[in-house]
Amino acid sequence: RCVEFLHDEKQEEWKRESVEAQLDAVENEMAEISPDEEILEVVAEESQENIERLVKWFESRVDAHRSPTYALYALLCSDGYFPSYEQALNAEHGMVFSQMLETQVTSPEGHAIATNPSLRELDEEQMRVPTSYVQNLMTMNGMLAGALYRLIDRGSLTEFDFYPLLELAPWSTDTQSFLVDSILDLFEGNYIQSFAVALPHFESAIVDTLRERNRSATAFTGEGTQQRTLGGLLDNIQTDIEDEYWAYLKVKYTDPRGPNLRNRWSHGQFRYFQANFQNAAILLIDILKTTIQVHSTPYIAAFGFPFRTISTEQRRREEIDISRYTDSQENVRAYGYTDGVGVIVVEDKEEDQTSFIVVRGGIRQDYAYD
């Protein structure tokens, strides 16, 4: 209210006081409640069990298909290793104050950078980010990173297993070359460099993939046009990827109420200890997973539909058991399911035909073409 007639020196003084007060509040008033050692031990033990379970699942896929690349592809088609946004919202329903009051988000630098609207003020275009969702995101990222680290350490996953997936991606030569360098840095232990190279090329990977589908990644400005930032690109592909995965990407990379990795890195606010194996490895996984979800055709053509994935209970309920509707000599080329109707596209090389299998309530009907 005073800014129009306030002296510059007084403005600077008030800014400093505001930031200092915010930092003091975070450090002294917002006391951290630490669980006792028994709970920490149980959590740590459960985390290690989950990591080992994921490692065994991956190695079993390698044994079954004799291909670590196929196992990596099946992992990228899974949804069981990132948190459920809907579940976090439902868990928050019992917390009256969290729902009724608007909350302010303060950055580690002491700036008020965002607000979480109350349910009374929430409109259709806004997204509420429960605190538990951010915590679950970090926990599940840690689990996946722990499994990837063990697989690499055992030699069950190498940099060469990534390359066939990169070759299928509709990326430019520049984008592909940068991400190859990022993978090499990851396996050589240069985690800071791996993360630094891959993060800006998350955007170019999406742009290249949209261009392959004849989609624009352009935004209008007052002077002309420019490429959308990562946040805008994620909004552009919202209908192309699963809702839960879209929420995960937004909170992790561009929303100040979450880790906000892309923006904090771009503005020099990234902490040195954060440029570690976990963030570098998961970033590469997220780039590949996003590409596969937006443009799955070349991957389905090369690998077919993955018959074994790590999926949430909700997704398993929605999926069709493909083996009930296909024969052993048929090669699954594509698969889709919505509103109680499933479609499976299979290729029968012996009969030299492709069939569209439509499944309604468990009843199969074929539409075959030579």
Side-chain angles (χ1 to χ4, degrees), residues 27-290:
E27 293 173 2
N28 300 317
E29 296 177 27
M30 304 295 289
E32 181 179 352
I33 302 174
S34 301
D36 57 46
E37 292 185 3
E38 290 185 5
I39 294 178
L40 289 175
E41 289 177 3
V42 170
V43 171
E45 184 177 342
E46 182 181 358
S47 176
Q48 293 303 314
E49 290 175 355
N50 287 333
I51 289 172
E52 191 58 34
R53 191 178 297 116
L54 184 52
V55 168
K56 289 180 178 178
W57 173 87
F58 186 94
E59 292 180 337
S60 71
R61 294 300 90 216
V62 175
D63 293 340
H65 297 274
R66 298 182 180 180
S67 170
T69 296
Y70 182 89
L72 183 57
Y73 164 68
L75 178 67
L76 292 166
C77 292
S78 301
D79 71 344
Y81 55 80
F82 57 86
S84 169
Y85 177 72
E86 184 178 350
Q87 197 173 55
L89 285 177
N90 291 337
E92 194 182 41
H93 285 169
M95 303 177 184
V96 178
F97 287 110
S98 298
Q99 297 180 74
M100 300 305 294
L101 301 178
E102 179 184 85
T103 54
Q104 179 179 284
V105 179
T106 303
S107 73
E109 294 75 32
H111 303 295
I113 55 175
T115 56
N116 223 10
S118 68
L119 292 184
R120 292 178 300 179
E121 300 169 333
L122 198 64
D123 60 41
E124 293 182 358
E125 296 182 357
Q126 288 181 306
M127 176 182 177
R128 183 173 172 82
V129 181
T131 303
S132 63
Y133 182 80
V134 179
Q135 295 169 344
N136 291 339
L137 186 154
M138 300 305 294
T139 298
M140 299 189 81
N141 268 193
M143 180 189 72
L144 179 58
L148 291 171
Y149 190 89
R150 289 191 192 180
L151 289 167
I152 293 171
D153 191 51
R154 294 181 185 184
S156 300
L157 181 66
T158 70
E159 62 267 40
F160 301 104
D161 302 321
F162 282 82
Y163 297 153
L165 299 176
L166 266 65
E167 290 174 2
L168 291 170
W171 300 335
S172 68
T173 302
D174 291 326
T175 299
Q176 195 166 96
S177 300
F178 277 117
L179 292 175
V180 167
D181 283 351
S182 178
I183 291 170
L184 288 171
D185 284 325
L186 179 74
F187 280 84
E188 291 173 1
N190 300 324
Y191 305 137
I192 296 176
Q193 188 164 319
S194 175
F195 184 84
V197 169
L199 188 58
H201 292 93
F202 198 166
E203 296 180 27
S204 62
I206 296 176
V207 171
D208 294 344
T209 305
L210 288 173
R211 185 179 296 118
E212 178 69 16
R213 297 189 57 187
N214 296 316
R215 294 261 298 279
S216 171
T218 302
F220 286 110
T221 66
E223 292 75 31
T225 59
Q226 66 180 20
Q227 180 180 304
R228 296 178 186 273
T229 61
L230 182 58
L233 290 171
L234 293 178
D235 290 339
N236 195 328
I237 63 172
Q238 182 175 2
T239 57
D240 299 289
I241 63 179
E242 296 168 2
D243 292 341
E244 294 278 15
Y245 184 57
W246 179 81
Y248 161 82
L249 292 176
K250 288 287 287 187
V251 172
K252 183 174 180 182
Y253 291 103
T254 65
D255 196 309
R257 295 167 295 179
N260 198 19
L261 297 186
R262 184 266 181 193
N263 293 329
R264 291 192 61 78
W265 176 269
S266 299
H267 298 298
Q269 295 173 327
F270 211 76
R271 298 302 175 91
Y272 189 79
F273 70 86
Q274 291 179 296
N276 52 25
F277 174 84
Q278 175 174 317
N279 281 327
I282 303 300
L283 173 58
L284 288 168
I285 293 294
D286 290 343
I287 293 173
L288 281 167
K289 182 178 180 66
T290 302

